[in-house]
Amino acid sequence: MLTARMLRTPVAALQHETGADREAKGPCWVSRVALPAPVETDALDAILDAVKSLGNGDEDYTIPATEDVRAQWTGYRAGVPQDQPEPMISESEKFRCLQRDVRSPMTILYAHGGSNYLLGPAVRRATATNLAKLTGGKCLLLQHRLAPQNPFPAALLDFFIAYLTLLSPSKGSLHASVPASHIIFAGDSSGAELALSIVQVILYARKQQDTEKPTINFHGQRVELLMPAGLAFQSPSVDHQHDTMPSWVANIEYDIVPPVAPGYDAGFPTDEVWPSKPPRGNYYCETSMLYHPLVCAMAADTWQGCPPMYMAVGSKERIVDGARYFAQLVATQGVPILWDEYELMPHNWPMGFPRHPLSEQCYSSWAKACSRFVNGPPIQSHGTFTTFEGSPVRELDVTKLTPLSKNDVARLMRRKQSSIRPFTGTPVTKSHL
């Protein structure tokens, strides 16, 4: 949660504070790993090909280096108290201990939120541990590169390399190959954005190679680029710009997301990383990329062929209109989706208020969806609205979540995009995050 002090703290300092690692105390196993960068450029090329094909040709972006990807294997550690210290053993031994507590073949590839410029794995360790406990599986908690130092598509490349490493581990990896049918893409806020972008990359590869099973070179192997078993998101960001939709203003008094985002408003202290050089209007990407399908999921034309999806949102989130529109969009295109909306809940409420009954209910439903995607049976689209008291639960038609049409959303996106100017460090009057 952003505090008033954080709104006056330079970006690099914010990143250091919110992204720092810490000891893994209590009932969790954590094994820190570095996933080796491939020698081949195929993973990067697949993303760049999708950027070019899915865009209009006018987008600007920075081609990232392909680097090792840091991540943390995370699992439930049974039978220890909350203050149990992290054991002083090797990372490989921690992974072996984690594996002994796993009861399911499921692996959840989890991307944390933070608008792609804040936070780190430690902030979502409790979330990953809870999901591992409830599903019996394990999580690979991604530590992707952060903007503004590493703008789009650096974080997207990191997520893609992590997924390919699960499918086809390099020599010396702690884990064995994980079938795509046992993998869940999960995340919160902007982490969902990364996962959905990789789904679009896979959909494009299918089209380009004219097959349901496209392949890609990775660490000397030809790897089938299959879809994961499912997607499972909490408070998902499907519009990186955030403030495109009406709920951004309508829910300003109720959400934990601040009225003014750090880094774009008058008086924000500059540092060595922000403003970027040359200046941009957004931490994560150039203004020309803001409504590209690999940045803004609700801008994509098609999601046909996407795996089944779970989305949990609060009715008082500032980003809820975008989530409703996106869920409705994919449902009408035949993608099975489970939609859970919780009355009065703000952004990321299960993380901020983990003992609240609606947080516990959300975690339970989130985990059940993950298990259902892996173990079956197949789902049918279904929506619920849970009142603040927990009951009654009202049924929702996921094809009728919002009156906003595709033309409405396109108009709002164009209007917002035309209003954004690069942040140069001089005072501005309006947030653009």
Side-chain angles (χ1 to χ4, degrees):
M1 184 182 303
L2 288 171
T3 64
R5 189 189 64 79
M6 292 173 72
L7 295 174
R8 300 188 300 271
T9 303
V11 171
L14 273 178
Q15 291 176 333
H16 178 74
E17 289 182 32
T18 66
D21 198 13
R22 57 177 181 264
E23 181 184 358
K25 287 186 176 182
C28 66
W29 288 112
V30 172
S31 174
R32 299 163 181 84
V33 293
L35 311 177
V39 176
E40 306 92 340
T41 63
D42 293 52
L44 175 60
D45 292 343
I47 291 173
L48 297 181
D49 287 348
V51 171
K52 295 173 185 175
S53 178
L54 299 175
N56 59 23
D58 295 330
E59 296 88 359
D60 295 319
Y61 52 92
T62 302
I63 298 177
T66 303
E67 299 180 359
D68 293 353
V69 177
R70 292 181 294 170
Q72 297 185 5
W73 284 107
T74 305
Y76 178 62
R77 185 183 179 190
V80 300
Q82 292 293 329
D83 60 351
Q84 182 75 19
E86 182 173 353
M88 301 294 289
I89 55 179
S90 68
E91 300 301 325
S92 58
E93 183 59 28
K94 291 174 189 174
F95 182 78
R96 285 191 288 270
C97 292
L98 180 156
Q99 283 285 80
R100 287 199 292 267
D101 280 341
V102 165
R103 309 184 312 277
S104 165
M106 180 193 308
T107 294
I108 298 173
L109 177 55
Y110 194 101
H112 67 78
S115 293
N116 292 320
Y117 81 101
L118 292 177
L119 309 186
V123 175
R124 291 293 178 259
R125 185 173 292 156
T127 298
T129 301
N130 206 5
L131 289 174
K133 177 183 178 181
L134 293 170
T135 62
K138 59 182 178 290
C139 293
L140 183 61
L141 192 47
L142 186 65
Q143 188 171 354
H144 58 77
R145 283 174 283 180
L146 298 178
Q149 305 95 312
N150 300 285
F152 173 90
L156 188 56
L157 178 59
D158 292 348
F159 190 103
F160 198 24
I161 288 173
Y163 182 46
L164 292 170
T165 301
L166 289 178
L167 297 174
S168 182
S170 60
K171 185 177 180 180
S173 295
L174 299 181
H175 67 285
S177 176
V178 183
S181 58
H182 291 167
I183 297 173
I184 299 293
F185 286 178
D188 65 275
S189 197
S190 60
E193 178 183 289
L194 295 179
L196 289 166
S197 297
I198 290 303
V199 170
Q200 280 291 317
V201 171
I202 299 174
L203 288 173
Y204 175 71
R206 283 180 171 181
K207 179 180 178 181
Q208 185 185 44
Q209 297 185 26
D210 194 22
T211 175
E212 291 292 304
K213 297 181 178 181
T215 58
I216 188 170
N217 290 314
F218 188 70
H219 288 304
Q221 303 294 320
R222 196 70 185 169
V223 180
E224 284 190 341
L225 187 53
L226 303 177
M227 285 291 184
L231 315 174
F233 306 130
Q234 196 284 316
S235 293
S237 169
V238 294
D239 167 20
H240 182 78
Q241 187 57 27
H242 300 328
D243 57 353
T244 305
M245 306 293 273
S247 59
W248 184 257
V249 174
N251 287 342
I252 193 170
E253 296 181 13
Y254 309 103
D255 204 0
I256 63 170
V257 177
V260 178
Y264 300 98
D265 213 60
F268 186 80
T270 61
D271 62 10
E272 68 275 15
V273 303
W274 189 252
S276 59
K277 301 176 184 60
R280 293 195 300 273
N282 185 276
Y283 285 129
Y284 183 53
C285 65
E286 300 289 347
T287 302
S288 61
M289 285 295 306
L290 279 172
Y291 297 109
H292 188 285
L294 297 192
V295 174
C296 175
M298 66 183 189
D301 288 332
T302 181
W303 289 92
Q304 292 175 344
C306 175
M309 192 180 309
Y310 172 83
M311 294 175 67
V313 300
S315 70
K316 291 303 182 183
E317 295 197 50
R318 299 183 73 190
I319 63 171
V320 68
D321 277 346
R324 288 171 180 153
Y325 171 78
F326 176 73
Q328 179 173 292
L329 174 69
V330 299
T332 56
Q333 293 184 359
V335 177
I337 181 166
L338 301 175
W339 170 268
D340 282 351
E341 186 169 339
Y342 293 82
E343 186 180 29
L344 301 179
M345 291 296 101
H347 192 62
N348 283 159
W349 81 93
M351 296 80 169
F353 314 103
R355 296 184 181 179
H356 192 283
L358 293 189
S359 298
E360 294 176 351
Q361 184 172 336
C362 178
Y363 271 120
S364 176
S365 297
W366 195 0
K368 286 177 181 177
C370 293
S371 296
R372 181 87 176 268
F373 295 154
V374 170
N375 302 320
I379 70 161
Q380 300 293 320
S381 290
H382 181 253
T384 62
F385 183 91
T386 302
T387 60
F388 184 74
E389 293 78 14
S391 64
V393 175
R394 177 160 51 92
E395 303 273 322
L396 295 176
D397 182 346
V398 290
T399 66
K400 298 177 180 178
L401 293 175
T402 175
L404 289 167
S405 68
K406 184 176 182 179
N407 288 337
D408 292 333
V409 172
R411 175 179 52 81
L412 290 168
M413 289 191 295
R414 286 194 299 268
R415 186 174 68 185
K416 184 61 196 178
Q417 191 170 28
S418 67
S419 72
I420 297 172
R421 300 292 180 268
F423 178 71
T424 61
T426 57
V428 294
T429 58
K430 186 177 180 182
S431 168
H432 297 314
L433 181 61

